[in-house]
Amino acid sequence: MTAQMLDGTAAAAAIKAELTTRVAALAERGIVPGLGTLLVGADPASRSYVTGKHRDCAEVGVASISVELPETATQEEIADAVLALNADPAVTGFIVQLPLPWGIDQNTILELIDPDKDADGLHPTNLGRLVLGVDPATAVAAPLPCTPAGIVELLSRHGVEIAGRHVTVIGRGITVGRPLGLLLTRKGIDATVTLTHSRTPDLAADVRRADIVVAAVGQPYLVQADWIKPGAAVLDVGVTRVGTTESGGAKLAGDVDPAVAEVAGWLSPNPGGVGPMTRAMLVANVVEIATRLTR
Ligand code: NAP
């Protein structure tokens, strides 16, 4: 079997086209949504993620507000930058690019974000609403964490059934695995989830049971072809720098061994799978916040 591609680049392009129409409608009412980013330090991967987010915003007509602080910024300086973004009327929603430099208390910084401007959906208030299963159609619905929302959207846009399926999520990180487990088990999405981590005793056995496998670890080629149930959908989220390309760029590897394509029914490429969906959902969150403000 050669897996069909869960094409995140194409799905993200379709989402951005839909968002462009919504942003144009907002512009007619004099509203221009704005995404703020706070980047601390000079990590090349973080910088390239932030650049990609602003590029997506420009494509759909969302304004960009970019704030940068040096690696040496103190906890107080970072906190002040967050409070300034909270207060800036041009900023509809914003993100603090993670990870923050060593020695900074990340959770304290994230808690300072105004939950109503939390474009990443990772503020405790919004994660709490995800736990409570607040109906996305209501006024208090929270922005969803971007990578989990992007994964659900990627599957549904390719017609991969989630309801009633068994999903094994590898990795319990706060940006992907843990909120994804909550989202997939929400009423209306209705998957049954096994959430695994580095202390899981027999990971291969948990993966073999799964109709859908999500690998969000950051360990190159961890997931092997003989772990996969034939026909399963496999989403490769992890990104690890494993060297340098001939042109000097970063050589990246995913969490899924390429041989998985011979067994799986569906496979997300990496790059070009979950990454573009994550960024599209970030822009979607900002447009959604701007739209709610008009109601
Ligand atoms: P994280 O917070 O470091 O979490 C990694 C998780 O992997 C942890 O729960 C860890 O378990 C688990 N783990 C480590 N080794 C394992 C093993 N051998 N077997 C099973 N589980 C293992 O990272 P994250 O922020 O969730 O991100 C995970 C990966 O996804 C990273 O490579 C990141 O770059 C990538 N990512 C990609 C996107 C995208 O849009 N493509 C978005 C976000 C993140 P313990 O909890 O027991 O330590």
Side-chain angles (χ1 to χ4, degrees):
M1 177 182 294
T2 300
Q4 296 185 69
M5 181 163 70
L6 290 165
D7 187 346
T9 305
I15 293 167
K16 284 187 279 183
E18 292 155 19
L19 291 172
T20 303
T21 308
R22 288 179 64 188
V23 171
L26 287 168
E28 276 176 19
R29 303 168 66 179
I31 298 159
V32 180
L35 171 71
T37 57
L38 174 57
L39 175 65
V40 185
D43 176 59
S46 291
R47 180 169 295 279
S48 105
Y49 291 143
V50 166
T51 304
K53 288 166 187 175
H54 288 303
R55 200 187 309 122
D56 282 348
C57 284
E59 263 181 56
V60 304
V62 167
S64 285
I65 300 93
S66 174
V67 178
E68 293 192 19
L69 292 174
E71 185 83 22
T72 52
T74 62
Q75 181 91 23
E76 197 181 5
E77 286 165 339
I78 299 170
D80 286 347
V82 170
L83 296 178
L85 284 161
N86 282 345
D88 186 343
V91 175
T92 311
F94 68 99
I95 59 123
V96 175
Q97 184 64 43
L98 302 177
L100 289 169
W102 188 86
I104 300 297
D105 178 353
Q106 194 160 287
N107 286 343
T108 302
I109 296 295
L110 292 181
E111 288 207 25
L112 289 175
I113 296 174
D114 177 347
D116 291 333
K117 286 193 169 191
D118 172 28
D120 255 344
L122 294 175
H123 185 280
T125 298
N126 291 323
L127 288 173
R129 288 175 178 156
L130 182 58
V131 174
L132 291 169
V134 172
D135 180 349
T138 65
V140 292
L144 290 172
C146 300
T147 306
I151 288 167
V152 169
E153 193 68 27
L154 185 62
L155 288 166
S156 48
R157 281 184 186 247
H158 286 83
V160 178
E161 189 72 44
I162 302 176
R165 298 298 185 88
H166 189 152
V167 184
T168 293
V169 177
I170 315 175
R172 56 182 163 183
I174 198 59
T175 52
V176 192
R178 198 175 286 255
L180 178 62
L182 292 167
L183 184 60
L184 287 169
T185 51
R186 190 178 212 170
K187 269 193 193 303
I189 298 183
D190 299 327
T192 299
V193 173
T194 300
L195 183 56
T196 65
H197 45 78
S198 67
R199 310 292 297 274
T200 296
D202 189 351
L203 182 60
D206 286 319
V207 172
R208 278 190 193 106
R209 267 195 294 277
D211 306 302
I212 299 171
V213 180
V214 182
V217 176
Q219 190 169 310
Y221 312 137
L222 170 73
V223 177
Q224 296 297 302
D226 65 354
W227 296 10
I228 302 298
K229 184 201 278 192
V234 180
L235 293 109
D236 187 1
V237 185
V239 181
T240 308
R241 186 180 178 136
V242 289
T244 308
T245 60
E246 278 174 19
S247 57
K251 194 172 173 191
L252 305 174
D255 286 349
V256 175
D257 192 289
V260 164
E262 301 307 319
V263 187
W266 294 91
L267 178 62
S268 70
N270 191 352
V274 175
M277 293 301 290
T278 298
R279 295 207 313 270
M281 298 321 285
L282 176 67
V283 185
N285 276 346
V286 173
V287 174
E288 184 57 30
I289 296 170
T291 306
R292 279 172 198 279
L293 292 174
T294 66
R295 286 180 192 142

